[in-house]
Amino acid sequence: MKYLLTCLILFLTVEASGQSTVEQLPSSASTSTWWDTKKVKPRVALGYQKSFFTEVGVAKHWSGGDMVIPRSTALYSSLEWAPSSTGSVYGIKVGAETISGMGISGLEVKYQSNFKVDDIVITPKLGLSLLGSVSIFYGYNISINKSPFDHVGRHQFSLALLYDKSDWKDIF
């Protein structure tokens, strides 16, 4: 299982590091429509799940639609750290998010360990997003190993940022 999870994370990281391209719209297309394909962006997040955690990683982000109903999808992998006085927990996660309008949903799978006990956690998430660049989530952690870490709870709140200078030009 650890071998399979490691291969999956490695595959998604390699896939997410591909080149980004931008498709140009034909001149007859509406100027309010845009499409940005496969942009690789750094991803950072802060959150709370009985204790604070932080994560850093990389995402492959697709955006499309128009400014009235924007749509986007992101595939990501990241490293998570949940510090605690009883022992920090480190995690490796892969996930996917999809945005339509301002609503966002996602699913992530995380392997976490304190180097004594291991666990696999599946987290479905819902929230609000600003064009996929800034997102606020509520997630529910489903532990395969019956939640072995006392400072990693079932309920998770997080704030995630996919950073790219061109996104901020589009927003502001």
Side-chain angles (χ1 to χ4, degrees), residues 21-25 32-38 62-66 70-73:
T21 60
V22 175
E23 296 176 6
Q24 296 295 324
L25 292 171
S32 66
T33 302
W34 47 270
W35 191 258
D36 178 14
T37 62
K38 297 182 185 179
W62 292 265
S63 304
D66 54 42
R71 295 178 304 274
S72 70
T73 300

Side-chain angles (χ1 to χ4, degrees), residues 58-72:
V58 64
K60 189 174 231 181
H61 188 236
W62 292 265
S63 304
D66 54 42
M67 294 311 285
V68 176
I69 303 176
R71 295 178 304 274
S72 70

Side-chain angles (χ1 to χ4, degrees), residues 37-75:
T37 62
K38 297 182 185 179
K39 220 171 201 184
V40 177
K41 302 177 181 184
R43 182 180 196 277
V44 295
L46 296 171
Y48 184 79
Q49 54 188 4
K50 276 194 180 177
S51 67
F52 286 97
F53 70 92
T54 185
E55 69 180 75
V56 68
V58 64
K60 189 174 231 181
H61 188 236
W62 292 265
S63 304
D66 54 42
M67 294 311 285
V68 176
I69 303 176
R71 295 178 304 274
S72 70
T73 300
L75 297 177

Side-chain angles (χ1 to χ4, degrees), residues 69-150:
I69 303 176
R71 295 178 304 274
S72 70
T73 300
L75 297 177
Y76 63 91
S77 62
S78 60
L79 301 173
E80 181 180 287
W81 175 53
S84 171
S85 59
T86 60
S88 295
V89 175
Y90 303 92
I92 300 172
K93 67 170 71 172
V94 294
E97 300 166 348
T98 184
I99 299 111
S100 181
M102 288 188 66
I104 185 167
S105 63
L107 181 68
E108 63 187 28
V109 177
K110 171 175 55 175
Y111 169 78
Q112 60 185 9
S113 175
N114 64 359
F115 302 112
K116 296 177 186 168
V117 180
D118 300 354
D119 192 16
I120 294 176
V121 177
I122 300 167
T123 308
K125 306 183 301 181
L126 291 173
L128 298 172
S129 182
L130 182 60
L131 299 177
S133 295
V134 178
S135 304
I136 298 172
F137 292 103
Y138 165 76
Y140 186 78
N141 291 329
I142 302 167
S143 173
I144 303 299
N145 198 14
K146 299 180 182 175
S147 301
F149 307 111
D150 61 351

